[in-house]
Amino acid sequence: MAINTRLTEFFGLEHPIVLAPMDPASGGELASAVSAAGALGLLGGGYANRAWFEEQSAKVSRPDVGCGFITWALANDPGLLDLALERHKKAIMLSFSDPAPYAPKVKQAGIPLICQVHTLEHAQRAIDVGADVIIAQGTEAGGHGLTARSTMPFVPAVADMIAQRAPRVLLLAAGGIADGRGLAAALMLGADGALIGSRFWATQESVIHRNAKEKVLAATGDETIRTRVYDVVRKKAWPSEYTGRLMKNGFIERWHGREDELRTLQEAELQRVEKAWVSGDYDTANVTVGEAIGLINDIPTAGELVKRISAEASACLARYAPTRNSIAA
């Protein structure tokens, strides 16, 4: 059974699934593979690193791929938004700070604007700047976010706000969704689809070292933590309210809670982390994933994963759909 929602109709998709624009996992090959499978692939523009963006944008093989940025990082190179608007017209996603400085340019280009939010106040701001799609992200999600709302109660709260104030706006659920059960649940909570990150992080096309993916296969959802350790060592100027959810490892165990001391040793520790990232030592390098890692048991292609999640969700929804006999009774 096909799952048709406002999201699939708006973007012309086969499946109500959107790839989170993870930096660096969501490169051109992964984003293209997700779109080729009938979902919406978003290239990870991340920290607005022009060299990385150019490299991965060149690997996008389809016109139906969008792009996402860490909003506050666009100030480092505003011209990258213009490049994304030219090359990846399917959608632009803005996350982690006020979208107002860049929303008008996206809207004027006639490209759908997606805004990720973590509170009801954020959701209202997204509506005010003209978002076509709002992503309600729970704290279970991998990567950066707030220690604020969890996905299960937050999504319907945003759905209610949208219904009352801006019924045209679409809603995606994010955080802890890794299979068809999660997608089906998101739809029942009032979302039009799901933004999925960690599960696509562990696919064959993801720009992540194989050692990191293998590490996640053996992990449970209890093995993640919200921390600023890697932001400190990498000198990333995240707003103070945001932390990153990552898989626990030796580096985090050593420095979590000792961030001030880590700042005094930044250069030496950064060299260790960067060397570990290249060599595949993920007891030192970061594994940026969410609580959904406990649901990840293989490393499929992105296309296989899209079809699997959609089929599982269809089965879940059909299981509780009324039959002719039950209606007659």
Side-chain angles (χ1 to χ4, degrees):
M1 131 182 167
I3 303 176
N4 298 311
T5 72
R6 295 193 305 160
L7 180 79
T8 59
E9 292 174 3
F10 184 82
F11 285 106
L13 307 175
E14 296 178 44
H15 312 288
I17 297 169
V18 180
L19 167 68
M22 301 169 285
D23 178 5
S26 298
E29 292 181 6
L30 177 56
S32 298
V34 169
S35 287
L40 175 56
L42 296 178
L43 177 67
Y47 289 98
N49 180 312
R50 182 170 285 268
W52 191 90
F53 181 88
E54 290 278 11
E55 175 189 346
Q56 293 302 323
S57 178
K59 295 180 179 180
V60 172
S61 59
R62 303 174 57 88
D64 54 353
V65 168
C67 185
F69 290 100
I70 296 169
T71 311
W72 58 261
L74 275 172
N76 299 327
D77 190 347
L80 274 186
L81 178 58
D82 296 314
L83 199 56
L85 291 171
E86 177 185 337
R87 294 184 182 179
H88 308 300
K89 300 177 184 294
K90 191 69 173 180
I92 295 293
M93 177 175 160
L94 301 175
S95 307
F96 308 118
S97 65
D98 186 2
Y102 306 102
K105 181 172 285 190
V106 178
K107 299 296 290 183
Q108 289 164 12
I111 294 174
L113 173 62
I114 305 174
C115 292
Q116 184 165 262
V117 306
H118 304 88
T119 68
L120 290 176
E121 182 180 3
H122 290 172
Q124 182 59 60
R125 184 61 168 169
I127 291 171
D128 291 343
V129 303
D132 297 288
V133 184
I134 289 176
I135 300 167
Q137 186 194 64
T139 191
E140 301 96 323
H144 284 86
L146 299 182
T147 307
R149 304 293 298 274
S150 55
T151 305
M152 184 69 79
F154 185 43
V155 172
V158 177
D160 290 345
M161 171 183 279
I162 288 174
Q164 293 171 5
R165 304 181 186 181
R168 67 169 185 83
V169 175
L170 307 183
L171 175 63
L172 296 177
I177 300 170
D179 57 22
R181 294 172 296 181
L183 174 57
L187 298 176
M188 292 301 96
L189 292 174
D192 299 292
L195 180 89
I196 299 177
S198 296
R199 191 59 190 88
F200 281 114
W201 182 97
T203 56
Q204 293 181 24
E205 297 90 343
S206 169
V207 189
I208 296 294
H209 198 288
R210 181 78 185 194
N211 290 2
K213 297 175 187 178
E214 294 287 351
K215 189 176 180 74
V216 163
L217 292 184
T220 72
D222 295 327
E223 296 176 56
T224 69
I225 185 173
R226 299 210 72 92
T227 184
R228 292 187 175 86
V229 164
Y230 286 100
D231 294 335
V232 169
V233 77
R234 287 205 164 102
K235 302 179 183 179
K236 300 297 186 182
W238 276 91
S240 60
E241 63 269 27
Y242 288 100
T243 56
R245 185 176 292 283
L246 304 98
M247 187 172 173
K248 297 174 185 176
N249 64 7
F251 190 83
I252 291 174
E253 290 175 0
R254 179 180 180 185
W255 291 113
H256 184 68
R258 300 171 58 199
E259 288 81 1
D260 288 342
E261 183 181 350
L262 177 59
R263 286 185 180 91
T264 68
L265 300 171
Q266 263 177 337
E267 293 305 324
E269 291 301 291
L270 177 58
Q271 290 180 24
R272 286 186 60 225
V273 168
E274 295 300 332
K275 182 178 179 181
W277 179 268
V278 173
S279 68
D281 169 16
Y282 288 93
D283 195 47
T284 300
N286 54 296
V287 179
T288 307
V289 288
E291 292 183 12
I293 58 172
L295 305 175
I296 297 174
N297 301 303
D298 63 353
I299 305 174
T301 67
E304 291 170 350
L305 183 59
V306 168
K307 293 181 174 66
R308 180 197 303 175
I309 291 174
S310 185
E312 290 172 351
S314 294
C316 288
L317 296 171
R319 181 180 178 187
Y320 295 102
T323 63
R324 289 185 179 180
N325 290 338
S326 65
I327 293 174

